């Protein structure tokens, strides 16, 4: 495949493929919206938490505000859904779905967002915008953990994916550790056995692994994340679509010569539409990351890849179920944690009432975060 034939989305994002909303099938009628407590009664989550629960939890405009802010951000940057969805994944896999990924580092502690695996995370500012709007509409009610969850499923739907109802009532964590991100977040270099073990640690199974990997239909990777794994030696090419692999290798090498760590889409078909194009990419031998490509080679996961590549409805159904499952990992509810006033710093904790509280994340300094590459990251103590 000659480089000239590869479709380029922008100067820095190749292999994006076609983007035609006309390709999307007419949406199926939505099932009846679930109501009341989450069937997993241990979670204390509720589908009506902000609409028909306790008066102090009332925020009927919650989901409409999330919908509006996500749409507004996506108009400004079509990659917004991919980034917000990835934020939710990182949050849930590291210390549970408690918005710990949003907390800034302090003078005393390096937080999750400043760990090496997190440097490509983005759109913290969109979460802040949603929180600001919600604090005007219903102050002190909606947690940042619920904002991340709602924004993730909204991104999926607005990108052409399935409608996913989640139960709410999560509370925000009080701490965040870079070491936890290093330990629990699965990397793109893992093979299926390592991925299965990582997902099992989070209470997820092999079906969840493959279904949730489908979020890579909106994903990207930098050349530095895969080039050494996929091209072990000069002239080697582990892509089953060898022409694609050679073009990709050339593209990354050219970027390196220019001092650039270029980005590549993980769905070579429809990279800004949430569909089953990612699985078709894998079946076509174009899986970019080792963790993606290996799903097609292991008999525990390959049949599911084939199924989702040929049946988008099957993928959507499985993805929705796995998202609901993932959204309950390690959650805080009831009186646990807190509802942060600002998502990037925890509220003050009364050390007299809570003498065992970790003080490393108290807002004690006018400059509480370690500078990170994201231009939209907050770095103030207000």
């Amino acid at each position: 495949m000659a480089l000239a034939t590869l479709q380029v989305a922008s100067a820095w994002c190749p292999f994006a493929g076609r983007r035609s909303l006309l390709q999307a099938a007419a949406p199926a009628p939505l099932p009846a919206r679930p109501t009341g407590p989450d069937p997993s009664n241990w979670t204390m989550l509720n589908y009506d938490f902000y609409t028909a629960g306790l008066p102090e939890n009332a925020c009927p405009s919650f989901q409409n505000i999330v919908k509006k802010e996500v749409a507004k951000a996506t108009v400004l940057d079509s990659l917004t859904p991919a980034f917000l969805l990835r934020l939710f994944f990182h949050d849930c896999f590291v210390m549970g779905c408690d918005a710990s990924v949003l907390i800034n580092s302090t003078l005393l502690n390096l937080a999750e967002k400043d760990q090496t695996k997190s440097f490509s995370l983005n759109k913290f500012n969109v979460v802040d915008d949603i929180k600001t709007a919600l604090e005007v509409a219903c102050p002190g009610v909606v947690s940042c953990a619920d904002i991340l969850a709602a924004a993730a499923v909204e991104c999926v739907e607005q990108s052409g994916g399935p409608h996913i109802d989640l139960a709410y009532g999560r509370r925000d964590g009080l701490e965040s550790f870079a070491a936890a991100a290093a330990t629990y977040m699965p990397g793109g270099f893992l093979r299926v056995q390592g991925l299965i073990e990582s997902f099992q640690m989070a209470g997820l199974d092999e079906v969840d692994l493959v279904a949730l990997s489908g979020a890579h239909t909106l994903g990207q990777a930098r050349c530095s994340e895969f080039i050494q794994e996929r091209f072990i030696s000069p002239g080697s090419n582990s892509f089953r679509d060898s022409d694609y692999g050679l073009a990709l290798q050339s593209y990354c090498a050219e970027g390196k010569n220019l001092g650039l760590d270029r980005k590549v889409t993980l769905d070579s078909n429809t990279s800004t539409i949430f569909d089953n194009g990612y699985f078709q990419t894998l079946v076509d031998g174009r899986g970019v990351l080792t963790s993606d490509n290996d799903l097609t080679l292991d008999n525990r996961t390959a049949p599911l890849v084939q199924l989702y590549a040929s049946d988008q409805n099957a993928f959507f159904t499985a993805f929705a179920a796995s998202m609901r499952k993932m959204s309950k990992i390690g959650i805080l509810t009831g009186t646990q944690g807190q509802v942060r006033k600002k998502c990037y710093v925890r509220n003050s904790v009364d050390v007299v009432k809570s003498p065992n509280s970790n003080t490393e994340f108290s807002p004690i300094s006018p400059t509480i975060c370690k500078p990170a590459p994201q231009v939209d990251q907050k770095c103030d103590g207000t």
Side-chain angles (χ1 to χ4, degrees), residues 1-19 216-217 219-221 223 226-227 231 239 241 243-254 262-272 277 281 286 288:
M1 178 185 293
L3 276 174
T5 67
L6 294 171
Q7 294 172 306
V8 180
S10 70
W12 51 267
C13 181
F15 313 105
R18 57 196 180 277
R19 185 180 192 276
H216 283 178
T217 187
Q220 296 182 337
C223 289
F226 64 85
I227 200 71
F231 302 99
F239 283 78
D241 184 339
D243 288 342
Y244 184 84
L246 289 172
L248 185 61
Q249 186 178 32
S250 176
Y251 179 81
C252 289
E254 180 184 75
R262 285 174 158 170
K263 293 181 181 179
V264 177
T265 59
L266 303 179
D267 177 348
S268 64
N269 297 300
T270 51
S271 64
T272 55
T281 294
R286 296 183 173 190
V288 174

Coordinates of all heavy atoms in Angstrom, one line a residue, residues 1-19 216-217 219-221 223 226-227 231 239 241 243-254 262-272 277 281 286 288:
M1 N 0.9 -1.2 0.0 CA 0.0 0.0 0.0 C 0.9 1.2 0.0 O 1.7 1.4 0.9 CB -0.9 0.0 1.2 CG -1.8 1.3 1.3 SD -2.7 1.3 2.9 CE -3.8 -0.1 2.7
A2 N 0.8 2.0 -1.0 CA 1.6 3.3 -1.1 C 1.1 4.3 -0.1 O -0.1 4.3 0.2 CB 1.5 3.8 -2.5
L3 N 2.0 5.1 0.4 CA 1.6 6.1 1.4 C 0.5 7.0 0.8 O -0.4 7.6 1.5 CB 2.8 6.9 1.8 CG 3.6 6.3 3.0 CD1 4.8 7.2 3.2 CD2 2.8 6.2 4.2
A4 N 0.6 7.3 -0.5 CA -0.3 8.2 -1.1 C -1.7 7.7 -1.1 O -2.7 8.5 -1.2 CB 0.1 8.4 -2.6
T5 N -1.9 6.4 -0.9 CA -3.3 5.9 -0.9 C -3.9 5.9 0.5 O -5.1 5.7 0.7 CB -3.3 4.5 -1.4 OG1 -2.7 3.6 -0.4 CG2 -2.7 4.4 -2.7
L6 N -3.1 6.2 1.5 CA -3.6 6.3 2.9 C -4.4 7.5 3.1 O -4.0 8.6 2.8 CB -2.5 6.2 3.9 CG -1.7 4.8 3.9 CD1 -0.5 4.9 4.8 CD2 -2.6 3.7 4.4
Q7 N -5.6 7.4 3.8 CA -6.4 8.6 4.1 C -5.9 9.2 5.4 O -5.8 8.5 6.4 CB -7.8 8.2 4.1 CG -8.4 7.7 2.8 CD -9.7 7.1 2.9 OE1 -10.0 6.2 3.8 NE2 -10.7 7.6 2.2
V8 N -5.7 10.5 5.4 CA -5.2 11.2 6.5 C -6.3 12.2 7.0 O -6.8 13.0 6.2 CB -3.9 12.0 6.1 CG1 -3.4 12.8 7.3 CG2 -2.9 11.0 5.6
A9 N -6.5 12.2 8.3 CA -7.5 13.0 8.9 C -7.0 14.4 9.1 O -7.7 15.4 9.0 CB -8.0 12.4 10.2
S10 N -5.8 14.5 9.4 CA -5.2 15.9 9.6 C -3.7 15.7 9.5 O -3.2 14.6 9.2 CB -5.5 16.4 11.0 OG -4.8 15.6 12.0
A11 N -2.9 16.8 9.7 CA -1.5 16.7 9.5 C -0.8 15.8 10.5 O 0.3 15.3 10.3 CB -0.9 18.1 9.7
W12 N -1.5 15.5 11.6 CA -0.8 14.7 12.6 C -1.6 13.4 12.9 O -1.2 12.6 13.8 CB -0.7 15.4 13.9 CG -2.0 16.0 14.4 CD1 -2.4 17.3 14.1 CD2 -3.0 15.4 15.2 NE1 -3.7 17.5 14.7 CE2 -4.0 16.4 15.4 CE3 -3.1 14.2 15.8 CZ2 -5.2 16.1 16.1 CZ3 -4.3 13.9 16.5 CH2 -5.3 14.9 16.7
C13 N -2.7 13.1 12.3 CA -3.5 11.9 12.6 C -3.8 11.1 11.4 O -4.8 11.4 10.7 CB -4.7 12.4 13.3 SG -5.8 11.0 13.8
P14 N -2.9 10.1 11.0 CA -3.1 9.4 9.8 C -4.1 8.2 10.0 O -4.5 7.9 11.1 CB -1.7 8.9 9.5 CG -1.2 8.6 10.9 CD -1.7 9.7 11.7
F15 N -4.4 7.6 8.9 CA -5.2 6.3 8.8 C -6.5 6.5 9.5 O -7.0 5.6 10.1 CB -4.4 5.2 9.5 CG -3.0 5.1 9.1 CD1 -2.0 5.5 10.0 CD2 -2.6 4.6 7.9 CE1 -0.6 5.5 9.6 CE2 -1.3 4.5 7.5 CZ -0.3 5.0 8.3
A16 N -7.1 7.7 9.4 CA -8.4 7.9 10.0 C -9.5 7.3 9.2 O -10.6 7.0 9.7 CB -8.7 9.4 10.2
G17 N -9.3 7.1 7.9 CA -10.3 6.4 7.1 C -11.5 7.4 6.8 O -11.4 8.6 7.0
R18 N -12.5 6.8 6.2 CA -13.6 7.6 5.8 C -14.5 8.0 7.0 O -14.6 7.3 8.0 CB -14.5 6.9 4.8 CG -15.0 5.6 5.3 CD -15.5 4.7 4.2 NE -16.0 3.4 4.7 CZ -15.2 2.4 4.9 NH1 -13.9 2.5 4.8 NH2 -15.7 1.2 5.4
R19 N -15.2 9.1 6.9 CA -16.1 9.5 7.9 C -17.4 10.0 7.3 O -17.5 11.1 6.8 CB -15.5 10.7 8.8 CG -16.4 11.0 10.0 CD -15.8 12.2 10.8 NE -16.5 12.3 12.1 CZ -17.6 13.0 12.2 NH1 -18.1 13.6 11.2 NH2 -18.2 13.1 13.4
H216 N -11.8 1.4 21.3 CA -10.7 1.8 20.4 C -11.2 2.2 19.0 O -10.4 2.7 18.2 CB -9.6 0.7 20.3 CG -8.7 0.6 21.5 ND1 -7.7 -0.3 21.7 CD2 -8.7 1.4 22.7 CE1 -7.2 -0.1 22.9 NE2 -7.7 0.8 23.5
T217 N -12.4 2.0 18.7 CA -13.0 2.5 17.5 C -12.9 4.0 17.4 O -12.8 4.6 16.3 CB -14.4 2.1 17.3 OG1 -14.9 2.5 16.0 CG2 -15.3 2.8 18.3
G219 N -10.2 5.4 19.2 CA -8.9 5.6 19.9 C -7.8 5.9 18.9 O -7.8 5.8 17.7
Q220 N -6.7 6.4 19.6 CA -5.5 6.7 18.9 C -4.3 6.2 19.7 O -4.4 5.9 20.9 CB -5.3 8.2 18.7 CG -6.3 8.9 17.9 CD -6.1 10.4 17.7 OE1 -5.4 11.0 18.6 NE2 -6.6 11.0 16.7
A221 N -3.2 6.1 19.1 CA -1.9 5.7 19.8 C -0.8 6.5 19.2 O -0.8 6.8 18.0 CB -1.7 4.2 19.7
C223 N 3.2 6.8 18.0 CA 4.1 5.8 17.4 C 5.0 5.2 18.5 O 5.3 4.0 18.4 CB 4.9 6.5 16.3 SG 4.0 6.9 14.8
F226 N 3.9 1.8 20.2 CA 3.9 0.5 19.5 C 5.0 0.2 18.6 O 5.2 -1.0 18.2 CB 2.5 0.4 18.7 CG 2.4 1.3 17.6 CD1 3.0 1.0 16.4 CD2 1.8 2.6 17.8 CE1 2.8 1.9 15.3 CE2 1.6 3.4 16.7 CZ 2.2 3.1 15.5
I227 N 5.8 1.2 18.2 CA 6.7 0.9 17.1 C 7.8 -0.1 17.4 O 8.1 -1.0 16.6 CB 7.4 2.3 16.7 CG1 8.0 2.2 15.3 CG2 8.4 2.7 17.7 CD1 7.0 2.1 14.2
F231 N 7.6 -3.6 15.4 CA 8.7 -3.7 14.4 C 9.9 -4.0 15.2 O 10.7 -3.1 15.5 CB 8.8 -2.4 13.6 CG 7.5 -2.1 12.9 CD1 6.6 -1.2 13.4 CD2 7.2 -2.7 11.7 CE1 5.4 -0.8 12.7 CE2 6.0 -2.4 11.0 CZ 5.1 -1.5 11.5
F239 N 2.6 -7.1 10.9 CA 1.2 -6.9 10.5 C 0.8 -7.9 9.4 O 1.6 -8.1 8.4 CB 1.1 -5.5 9.9 CG 1.0 -4.4 10.9 CD1 2.2 -3.9 11.5 CD2 -0.2 -3.8 11.3 CE1 2.1 -2.9 12.5 CE2 -0.3 -2.8 12.2 CZ 0.9 -2.4 12.8
D241 N -1.6 -7.4 7.4 CA -1.7 -6.6 6.2 C -0.3 -5.9 6.1 O -0.1 -4.8 6.6 CB -2.8 -5.5 6.3 CG -3.0 -4.7 5.1 OD1 -2.0 -4.6 4.3 OD2 -4.0 -4.1 4.9
D243 N 1.4 -4.5 3.7 CA 1.5 -3.1 3.1 C 1.1 -2.0 4.0 O 1.8 -1.0 4.1 CB 0.6 -3.1 1.8 CG 1.1 -3.9 0.7 OD1 2.3 -4.3 0.7 OD2 0.3 -4.2 -0.2
Y244 N 0.1 -2.3 4.8 CA -0.3 -1.3 5.8 C 0.8 -1.1 6.9 O 1.1 0.0 7.3 CB -1.6 -1.8 6.5 CG -2.2 -0.8 7.5 CD1 -3.0 0.3 7.1 CD2 -2.0 -1.0 8.9 CE1 -3.5 1.1 8.0 CE2 -2.5 -0.1 9.8 CZ -3.3 1.0 9.4 OH -3.8 1.8 10.3
G245 N 1.4 -2.2 7.3 CA 2.4 -2.2 8.3 C 3.6 -1.4 7.8 O 4.2 -0.6 8.5
L246 N 4.0 -1.6 6.5 CA 5.1 -0.9 6.0 C 4.9 0.6 5.9 O 5.7 1.4 6.2 CB 5.5 -1.5 4.6 CG 6.1 -2.9 4.6 CD1 6.2 -3.4 3.1 CD2 7.5 -2.8 5.2
A247 N 3.6 0.9 5.5 CA 3.3 2.4 5.4 C 3.3 3.0 6.7 O 3.7 4.1 6.9 CB 1.9 2.5 4.7
L248 N 2.8 2.3 7.7 CA 2.8 2.8 9.1 C 4.2 3.0 9.6 O 4.5 4.0 10.3 CB 2.0 1.8 10.0 CG 1.7 2.2 11.4 CD1 0.9 3.4 11.5 CD2 1.0 1.0 12.2
Q249 N 5.0 2.0 9.4 CA 6.4 2.1 9.8 C 7.1 3.3 9.2 O 7.8 4.1 9.9 CB 7.2 0.8 9.5 CG 8.6 0.8 10.0 CD 9.3 -0.6 9.7 OE1 9.0 -1.2 8.6 NE2 10.1 -1.0 10.6
S250 N 6.9 3.5 7.9 CA 7.5 4.7 7.2 C 6.9 6.0 7.8 O 7.7 6.9 8.0 CB 7.2 4.6 5.7 OG 7.6 5.7 5.0
Y251 N 5.6 6.0 8.0 CA 5.0 7.2 8.6 C 5.6 7.6 9.9 O 5.9 8.8 10.2 CB 3.5 7.0 8.7 CG 2.8 8.2 9.3 CD1 2.4 9.3 8.5 CD2 2.4 8.3 10.6 CE1 1.8 10.4 9.0 CE2 1.8 9.3 11.1 CZ 1.4 10.4 10.3 OH 0.8 11.5 10.8
C252 N 5.8 6.6 10.8 CA 6.3 6.9 12.1 C 7.8 7.3 12.0 O 8.3 8.2 12.8 CB 6.2 5.6 13.0 SG 4.5 5.3 13.5
A253 N 8.6 6.6 11.1 CA 10.0 6.9 11.0 C 10.2 8.4 10.5 O 11.0 9.1 10.9 CB 10.6 5.9 10.0
E254 N 9.3 8.8 9.5 CA 9.4 10.1 9.0 C 9.1 11.1 10.1 O 9.8 12.2 10.2 CB 8.3 10.3 7.9 CG 8.3 11.7 7.3 CD 7.2 11.8 6.2 OE1 6.0 11.9 6.6 OE2 7.5 11.7 5.0
R262 N 4.2 10.9 16.2 CA 2.9 11.0 15.5 C 1.9 10.1 16.1 O 2.2 9.1 16.8 CB 3.1 10.7 14.1 CG 3.8 11.8 13.3 CD 4.1 11.4 11.8 NE 4.2 12.6 11.0 CZ 4.7 12.5 9.7 NH1 5.0 11.4 9.2 NH2 4.8 13.6 9.0
K263 N 0.6 10.5 15.9 CA -0.5 9.7 16.4 C -1.2 8.9 15.2 O -1.2 9.4 14.1 CB -1.6 10.6 17.0 CG -1.2 11.3 18.2 CD -2.3 12.2 18.8 CE -1.9 12.9 20.1 NZ -2.9 13.8 20.6
V264 N -1.6 7.7 15.5 CA -2.3 6.9 14.6 C -3.6 6.4 15.1 O -3.7 6.1 16.3 CB -1.4 5.6 14.3 CG1 -2.0 4.7 13.3 CG2 0.0 6.1 13.8
T265 N -4.6 6.4 14.3 CA -5.9 5.9 14.7 C -5.9 4.4 14.8 O -5.3 3.7 14.0 CB -7.1 6.4 13.8 OG1 -6.8 5.9 12.5 CG2 -7.1 7.9 13.8
L266 N -6.7 3.9 15.7 CA -6.8 2.4 16.0 C -7.9 1.8 15.1 O -7.9 0.5 15.1 CB -6.9 2.1 17.5 CG -5.9 2.7 18.4 CD1 -6.2 2.4 19.8 CD2 -4.5 2.2 18.0
D267 N -8.7 2.6 14.6 CA -9.8 2.1 13.6 C -9.5 2.7 12.3 O -9.6 3.9 12.1 CB -11.1 2.5 14.2 CG -12.3 2.1 13.2 OD1 -12.0 1.7 12.1 OD2 -13.5 2.3 13.7
S268 N -9.0 1.9 11.4 CA -8.6 2.4 10.0 C -9.8 2.7 9.1 O -9.6 3.1 8.0 CB -7.6 1.4 9.4 OG -8.3 0.2 9.1
N269 N -11.0 2.4 9.6 CA -12.2 2.6 8.8 C -13.0 3.9 9.1 O -13.1 4.7 8.3 CB -13.1 1.4 9.0 CG -12.5 0.1 8.5 OD1 -12.1 0.0 7.4 ND2 -12.3 -0.9 9.4
T270 N -13.4 4.0 10.4 CA -14.3 5.1 10.7 C -13.9 5.6 12.1 O -14.5 5.3 13.1 CB -15.8 4.7 10.8 OG1 -15.9 3.5 11.6 CG2 -16.3 4.4 9.4
S271 N -12.8 6.3 12.2 CA -12.2 6.6 13.5 C -12.9 7.6 14.4 O -12.6 7.8 15.6 CB -10.8 7.1 13.3 OG -10.8 8.4 12.6
T272 N -13.9 8.3 13.9 CA -14.6 9.3 14.7 C -16.1 8.9 14.9 O -16.9 9.6 15.4 CB -14.6 10.7 14.2 OG1 -15.0 10.7 12.8 CG2 -13.1 11.3 14.3
G277 N -16.1 -0.8 13.4 CA -15.0 -0.7 12.5 C -13.6 -1.1 13.1 O -12.8 -1.6 12.4
T281 N -11.1 -3.7 11.5 CA -9.6 -3.4 11.3 C -8.8 -4.6 11.8 O -7.8 -4.9 11.2 CB -9.3 -2.1 12.1 OG1 -10.0 -1.0 11.5 CG2 -7.8 -1.8 12.1
R286 N -4.9 -5.2 10.6 CA -4.3 -3.8 10.8 C -4.3 -3.4 12.3 O -4.3 -2.2 12.6 CB -5.2 -2.9 10.0 CG -5.1 -3.1 8.5 CD -5.8 -2.0 7.7 NE -5.6 -2.1 6.3 CZ -6.0 -1.2 5.4 NH1 -6.7 -0.1 5.8 NH2 -5.8 -1.3 4.1
V288 N -3.1 -2.1 15.5 CA -1.9 -1.3 15.7 C -1.1 -1.7 17.0 O 0.1 -2.1 17.0 CB -2.2 0.2 15.8 CG1 -1.0 1.0 16.1 CG2 -2.7 0.6 14.4

